[in-house]
Amino acid sequence: MPHLLLAAAHKSSGKTTLATALCAALRARGLEIQPFKKGPDYIDPLWLGRAAGRPCVNLDFHTQESDEIVELAARYDQGADLGLVEANKGLFDGVDPEGHDCNAALARLLDVPVVLVIDCRGMTRGIAPLLLGYRSFDPQVRIAGVILNRVGGARHESKLRAAVERYTDLPVLGAVHEDPSLEIAERYLGLIPSNEVDGADAKIRGLATAVASQVDLDGLLRVARTDPSGGGPVCVPDSPRGAEHTGGPPVRIAVARDAAFGFYYPTDLDALEAAGAELCFFDTLHDRDLPPADALLIGGGFPESRLAALAANRSLREAIRTAIEAGTPAYAECGGLMYLSRSIRWGDQEHAMVGAIPATSVMHDRPQGRGYVSLRETREHPWPPVGDGAVGEAPVPAHEFHYSALEDVDPGLPFAWEMQRGCGVDGRHDGIVYRNLLASYSHQRHTRRNPWARRFVAFVRQCRRGCVQEPETVIAT
């Protein structure tokens, strides 16, 4: 299957706007586009998935093994005409100084051509040595074309095209002129998620129309189809998107999904279903009560942006607190942790939240935790191991990105993890355990090394049986 990796020379070059527009424009042609995002990210994938009409899948060296990335990409490619991968930051940027986790490494791993998006503001002839340097830095990376972005006008475009054509053999696949209407609004954590934007679909249609008139879509498809390996990741046998499931009776998990909470990896939701969970979604802003369920899942998001509305829905807040106090299994991450605290304070505003966690969430001007984390499991972790895993056997790779911190935390609270890297709740621990609730600042990813979705479903079954420890049967499919 044809693939493209859309990368740039540096972050904030307009990759996500272009990738979103391209997904929508190619979809409008009747093509099935499977979007992927390099690295840990929730916001950009929400835009990409909405534009493509297929969930965007994250590919991340920190949480996944290389062969796992290849298999995951191949599995979600099924039924698509084109796989479009959006890089994070610059093509050669990553945590590892040797580049083993950078976007270029992903392009090599998946054997896909790269199209560079160049922010051309303040640049003319200088684009040529930039492109030549990128071409020569790693010859194994197949840079197949360039899209000129944020071009200042027709004259500027002419100079840029002349420099690229004279000094390089790279095709110019498009020139997108500077236009404020093409920008997706940002705030402190990056783009505003599509689930919070009124008129997001209209915005995407506008982006697609503008970009389709300035980018050679046929040229992009030709570049994608010239992959000498025959189209990118290896094929895998037909199988459910969740490659493993845990034997046992089905369970029902109520999942918060709305304008305040939307940070879920689609592969994790698939893994929960593959483990035997039926997911039912509820809206923390409008639903007055919880749907009937065996467990709760409240992911990340921006509860601070909906403080008044969350506080006003007192009926639901009380229902959630009652469920947690009654021992309903629950898992919450970051924004979900904040929502379950006593209150959220931001500047001179403070609003009551669920109150299940004896602490106050306080927003700060600077990040309180940011980047990859490594967690060492403690004996307090409530979920049973599954398969061959043993509690505390290996560090758990995860990530965090939060501007809030907890204050007035009950000192008697146990924690599920010790921080080997990262900040967590107090710089040393993360994963507050209260009754059958686990709540953390760290975001987990269901992977081979960390099958958290299977463990959570196993825990829900265990609680439903009255906390009687019984082994889970793992069935590979």
Side-chain angles (χ1 to χ4, degrees), residues 44-101:
D44 294 358
L46 283 170
W47 283 101
L48 295 170
R50 191 159 185 161
R54 292 170 67 107
C56 180
V57 174
N58 294 71
L59 307 173
D60 177 29
F61 286 108
H62 178 65
T63 54
Q64 298 168 296
E65 305 291 346
S66 292
D67 64 332
E68 196 173 5
I69 290 174
V70 173
E71 292 168 6
L72 187 71
R75 180 166 289 114
Y76 281 82
D77 272 340
Q78 294 181 59
D81 300 303
L82 173 72
L84 181 64
V85 186
E86 188 205 341
N88 67 334
K89 300 185 178 180
L91 177 60
F92 296 107
D93 293 328
V95 175
D96 177 34
E98 299 297 323
H100 296 301
D101 63 351

Side-chain angles (χ1 to χ4, degrees), residues 208-467:
T209 299
V211 169
S213 66
Q214 300 177 82
V215 173
D216 181 2
L217 299 182
D218 292 323
L220 276 176
L221 293 174
R222 283 194 298 272
V223 164
R225 289 167 180 155
T226 57
D227 184 348
S229 69
V234 298
C235 294
V236 295
D238 289 340
S239 62
R241 282 184 168 179
E244 295 181 340
H245 66 84
T246 304
V251 298
R252 200 161 192 258
I253 301 177
V255 183
R257 188 166 68 179
D258 46 52
F261 305 101
F263 291 176
Y264 302 99
Y265 288 121
T267 52
D268 284 14
L269 298 181
D270 288 344
L272 287 166
E273 291 180 329
E278 174 194 352
L279 306 182
C280 54
F281 297 96
F282 67 97
D283 187 327
T284 58
L285 303 172
H286 301 102
D287 291 342
R288 309 306 296 176
D289 204 352
L290 285 168
D294 301 302
L296 302 178
L297 174 59
I298 308 176
F302 293 110
E304 67 271 20
S305 70
R306 296 290 190 277
L307 281 181
L310 289 170
N313 195 352
R314 183 174 180 177
S315 173
L316 181 65
R317 290 191 290 112
E318 291 179 348
I320 293 174
R321 181 171 183 178
T322 297
I324 291 173
E325 291 291 343
T328 299
Y331 177 48
E333 287 185 346
C334 201
L337 164 67
M338 297 169 64
Y339 179 53
L340 294 182
S341 68
R342 284 187 293 251
S343 63
I344 298 177
R345 185 166 72 242
W346 193 4
D348 58 358
Q349 294 188 50
E350 184 168 358
H351 291 269
M353 292 292 117
V354 171
I357 296 175
T360 299
S361 300
V362 180
M363 290 294 294
H364 294 264
D365 294 332
R366 299 177 64 84
Q368 301 301 294
R370 180 175 188 170
Y372 288 131
V373 303
S374 180
L375 311 169
R376 176 71 68 177
E377 193 164 310
T378 73
R379 295 180 181 274
E380 303 293 343
H381 197 297
W383 302 347
V386 295
D388 298 327
V391 173
E393 184 177 87
V396 174
H399 63 95
E400 64 179 339
F401 199 166
H402 51 100
Y403 276 68
S404 74
L406 296 186
E407 295 184 1
D408 303 322
V409 182
D410 186 325
L413 285 175
F415 290 94
W417 294 297
E418 294 177 351
M419 305 299 298
Q420 291 192 317
R421 171 181 175 178
C423 297
V425 168
D426 61 4
R428 297 179 295 119
H429 307 94
D430 202 4
I432 291 172
V433 179
Y434 176 74
R435 297 191 183 275
N436 289 323
L437 164 69
L438 172 59
S440 70
Y441 270 122
S442 297
H443 296 280
Q444 295 191 81
R445 180 86 188 274
H446 181 90
T447 63
R448 188 184 303 152
R449 284 184 289 168
N450 181 33
W452 79 260
R454 285 166 46 209
R455 292 185 66 184
F456 183 51
V457 171
F459 179 62
V460 177
R461 290 196 183 109
Q462 186 184 94
C463 291
R464 199 167 67 176
R465 291 193 299 262
C467 295

